[in-house]
Amino acid sequence: MGEVDPAFIQDVEHRPKLAATHAEGIPLIDLAALAGFSPSDGAVATSDAAFDGLVAEIGEACKKWGFFAVVNHGVAAEKRERLEQEAREFFGQSLEEKKKVRRDEKRVAGYYETEHTKNVRDWKEVFDFTVREPTVVPASPKDGEEAIIEWINQWPEYPPGLREACEEYAQELEKLAYKLMGLIAQSLGLPSNRFEEFYKAHTSFVRLNHYPPCPAPHLALGVGRHKDSGALTILAQDDVGGLEVKRKSDGEWVLVKPIPDSFIINVGDIIQVPLIKKITFYVCN
């Protein structure tokens, strides 16, 4: 990635603005009222004022923004810090070593360094793994007569602690995702466990992104403009930042300032689908 190949260069209208405006109005939601709460109880909103206020905040953020930041989320800081350290060691290896667990058409999890978004190559390298192993998915026609296929994770020999760090972190994110889905359900006036039946066999995965220094940051993007097709994306930013969102009011791309020990939650396309004849859906930005 030392030279800027033309494959990385964005069209003029999509190139990053090095002096982008920071987004000031992104909702910051404190999840402290969730302590001890499990969405599996099926309750609608409790009478607790703090909890009711939290549900209302979530609903408002989903409708007006499509994303929000959360703090006091329950994911232990040490688990995130350990994973970040293991990821640094993995990405710090030679390309030859990393390619030993490179993903391909058959192995959908692992290392990858030539991903494209909107037909332009992203300035990044990634390591993907599924939350549930194996993850069972329907087979495509080219897979033959088999009804299903299994996605299996690939784990590198080095660093030796990467697998354990990844699996522990994924378990914590899965718990948080279910709690957030419960809050979204309640913001629609539904039981908190209303969506759980749809995710019994979910295909969630975790992606570790590494963005090497770019010699031409005004031409390339770590990842191009896009929407997320799933239900929720839980994004951890480091202190470097770089995340931009498109402001709904004027279409301007603005920077999201990193908040220590927080996650950015992006509401994906699936949550736009109306459920149980309730004509209510959220807007993704």
Side-chain angles (χ1 to χ4, degrees):
M1 289 189 177
E3 298 294 332
V4 180
D5 187 287
F8 289 103
I9 298 176
Q10 296 282 331
D11 291 338
V12 174
E13 66 268 30
H14 301 306
R15 290 177 187 174
K17 297 178 181 178
L18 302 186
T21 306
H22 281 281
E24 300 293 341
I26 294 174
L28 175 61
I29 299 177
D30 190 336
L31 299 181
L34 272 184
F37 170 74
S38 172
S40 298
D41 60 13
V44 187
T46 69
S47 58
D48 182 82
F51 190 85
D52 289 347
L54 174 58
V55 169
E57 279 189 89
I58 292 287
E60 191 73 1
C62 289
K63 286 186 286 187
K64 290 191 173 182
W65 285 89
F67 59 90
F68 50 92
V70 295
V71 292
N72 291 321
H73 41 68
V75 178
E78 56 266 24
K79 292 186 183 295
R80 175 171 163 178
E81 290 166 0
R82 180 190 176 192
L83 179 58
E84 288 177 351
Q85 180 57 42
E86 297 287 346
R88 289 190 187 95
E89 292 188 27
F90 172 76
F91 288 120
Q93 299 179 101
S94 68
L95 182 59
E96 180 182 7
E97 284 298 313
K98 289 179 286 191
K99 279 189 171 182
K100 290 180 179 180
V101 289
R102 192 177 191 270
R103 75 184 198 217
D104 54 35
E105 290 186 2
K106 294 292 184 181
R107 299 173 296 180
V108 300
Y111 174 76
Y112 203 63
E113 80 289 2
T114 59
E115 193 163 71
H116 290 65
T117 303
K118 305 293 186 183
N119 297 317
V120 180
R121 187 173 169 184
D122 298 329
W123 192 273
K124 71 170 187 240
E125 53 183 346
V126 305
F127 180 81
D128 296 331
F129 64 96
T130 60
V131 174
R132 297 189 176 186
E133 189 177 17
T135 292
V136 179
V137 298
S140 66
K142 66 180 180 181
D143 292 319
E145 298 180 357
E146 296 182 11
I148 60 172
I149 55 176
E150 293 183 340
W151 293 346
I152 305 295
N153 289 325
Q154 298 188 84
W155 298 106
E157 292 184 7
Y158 184 86
L162 180 64
R163 178 173 184 171
E164 184 179 62
C166 285
E167 292 177 340
E168 289 183 354
Y169 188 69
Q171 290 173 6
E172 295 301 309
L173 293 187
E174 186 176 24
K175 294 175 187 176
L176 175 59
Y178 273 111
K179 289 179 179 179
L180 290 168
M181 290 301 297
L183 289 168
I184 290 173
Q186 290 194 351
S187 75
L188 293 170
L190 303 172
S192 60
N193 63 355
R194 178 63 181 88
F195 298 143
E196 288 190 13
E197 63 183 284
F198 301 109
Y199 302 113
K200 290 179 180 178
H202 64 76
T203 56
S204 302
F205 70 94
V206 177
R207 163 165 291 181
L208 309 179
N209 290 298
H210 176 231
Y211 304 98
C214 180
H218 60 295
L219 298 178
L221 289 170
V223 57
R225 69 200 188 282
H226 67 280
K227 296 192 297 180
D228 290 345
S229 60
L232 287 180
T233 298
I234 301 176
L235 172 65
Q237 282 187 283
D238 61 16
D239 55 3
V240 176
L243 173 66
E244 294 186 18
V245 298
K246 193 173 185 179
R247 190 162 51 199
K248 185 179 178 182
S249 60
D250 57 8
E252 184 74 13
W253 287 94
V254 291
L255 285 169
V256 177
K257 185 177 180 179
I259 301 171
D261 197 25
S262 70
F263 289 112
I264 301 296
I265 310 301
N266 183 25
V267 181
D269 288 347
I270 285 178
I271 305 300
Q272 297 188 65
V273 178
L275 296 176
I276 62 167
K277 299 182 181 178
K278 187 177 183 68
I279 308 176
T280 303
F281 53 93
Y282 293 141
V283 176
C284 282
N285 293 295

